[in-house]
Amino acid sequence: MKDKAAIYIRVSTSHQIDKDSLKVQKRELIAYCDLILHINSYEIFEDPGYSAKSTDRPAYQEMMARLRTGEFSHLVCWKIDRISRNLLDFSNMYAELKNLGVTFVSKNEQFDTSTAIGEAMLKIILVFAELERNMTSERVTATMVSRAANGQWNGGRVPYGYVRKDGEFFVANGEKDVVQHIFRAYRSGDSLLAITRRLNEKRITTRGGKEWTPTTVHKILTNHFYTGDYVYNKTDEKNGRKNPEDKWVVIKNHHPQIITEEDFKSAQNRLSYNQRTPRKPGDTYAGKHLHIFAGLLRCGVCGANMTATSDRMRKDGTRPSMYGCRNRRSNNHICDNSYVNDLPIGQFVFTIIGNILQAHASIHANTPLSRINDAVLRNIKDAEVNQEDLKALSTHLKSRILSASISEEVFLPDHTGPSEKTTLLEAKKKTELALNRLQALYLHGNDGIAEADYLRERAALIAEQERIEARLASMVNSAEDDQDLEIKASFAALDIMLTKDPKFDFEKYLRMANHSVPKKFLNLIIDHITVTYGAVTEIVFKNGITLHFSKKNPGR
């Protein structure tokens, strides 16, 4: 095969001293291929403005994919750190190139990587490249901590209750009253939910014009800023964990006070006392307090999500979950949908699932729709299913082929695109890359950017990071994680029970089962369930099949 070179060029913002550096690299590397390597067939892969922190760069990924097809004989770059400053990333890439029989050439270092000493020197150079990247990151952190120690604001959203003008913080009088009301009400014994409901009933909105939630009230109660102190470096930006207090930067009397230190500590003590168990954001309570339908139920009246709490204890020691519309919980005037516990919901949903699985085992090409209707609604009183939905279900069932796990075969989609989790992880990587490029431009860029612009952009990116991480933390494992044995076992156990038992008793099952099993089962096969005035009116499965239900005798 004729030699062909893949020419890779990259310029991060920290190296854009020469605005023509991309053109210089391109011109010099083409000449090097022609005059030194005697290769006149080449293709250029260009990643402008991407950091060498990771290999998550579009042109680089495309180049590696095409190298694996055997299209190129050489990979040529300007310097080693154009490829990566991460030793592990580069080592993995270089090992792959050797297996593919691709020659790696770095024009400026002029390493002969066919010898042991050449390979060793290459890795030594890369160690120092990675060291430089880590030191840059440390300098950024040190700069931000130093600014905070001098009382300078490091950007981010100005807390509710304050406005910032000409670098100074001032109290926003209307919002100040709301903040003081929240602290006063909480210290007097009101719950987060009661405070939320009262604010919304009075038509008091957040700064963004939205209704209050228990989460936004909690953020007010835990923000030390209201004491007049500026606290920075409370959390580690790399892992999101809380730093030890000796690493905090605390500037006393940094701005006007809204809440006294004593009132703030009193609120923290009550919050700590009321916390039922230490947990991470998005975690659910274990054992009997695990809410099986959490995240699946939607309100059939206003469309909002339904949130879960623990219902009263029963005589047999069980404690069902209670679900209510988020809008009703925060404001009775918005929605009047009734509260419902998970016993009738679970009985209905699992009966429908079991009926579908049992019908699937006996269905054939000529099975009439009326028979499928009767099978789906067996042991369901006073309910009808939408006939168009039933036709779609019938077509779907007749196209299924039985396998070891009937539930997977019937309810999971044939082909799945990228999951929400995958999409969020990709977005997280892109946000991290954007932060790195922004910091490099601020610290090392020739022209640089104004400090105010840097802080504003940085705050927006950090806010996006927090949103993504919060969503990732709140997500239960999706279908892409169903390979672990526990989930497989839950499918197998429920397959047997639902396909063999003609009348599945959900309440009896809950008394015997680990609640995490039905929860994982439902989250794998169901997208969402709509509940209207205590009754299930819609079930949407992950494979797109939707069933709408109505009462035979309408009326509430």
Side-chain angles (χ1 to χ4, degrees), residues 357 360 400-410 487-497 499-500 521:
L357 293 176
H360 176 260
R400 301 293 89 185
I401 300 174
L402 288 176
S403 67
S405 178
I406 301 173
S407 300
E408 289 182 277
E409 194 67 40
V410 172
I487 296 178
K488 288 294 185 183
S490 74
F491 265 92
L494 280 170
D495 271 346
I496 294 172
M497 297 181 73
T499 55
K500 302 299 182 184
F521 178 85

Side-chain angles (χ1 to χ4, degrees), residues 101 115 131 307 326 346:
T115 66
L131 175 64
T307 56
R326 177 177 57 80

Side-chain angles (χ1 to χ4, degrees), residues 308-323:
T309 56
S310 295
D311 200 0
R312 61 180 177 80
M313 186 75 74
R314 301 296 195 263
K315 291 181 180 180
D316 60 4
T318 60
R319 193 174 187 181
S321 297
M322 180 69 73
Y323 298 89

Side-chain angles (χ1 to χ4, degrees), residues 168-181:
E168 298 290 333
F169 287 92
F170 301 92
V171 172
N173 290 325
E175 294 180 356
K176 169 188 174 182
D177 296 338
V178 176
V179 173
Q180 291 178 335
H181 166 75

Side-chain angles (χ1 to χ4, degrees), residues 37 72-76 94 97-98 100-105 113:
L37 301 178
F72 300 98
S73 59
H74 291 69
L75 168 54
V76 183
Y94 185 65
L97 291 182
K98 289 183 69 175
L100 293 170
V102 175
T103 301
F104 174 74
V105 178
T113 55

Side-chain angles (χ1 to χ4, degrees), residues 177 179-190 221 259:
D177 296 338
V179 173
Q180 291 178 335
H181 166 75
I182 289 173
F183 275 89
R184 186 167 55 249
Y186 190 70
R187 287 186 294 106
S188 67
D190 284 355
L221 289 170
I259 300 298

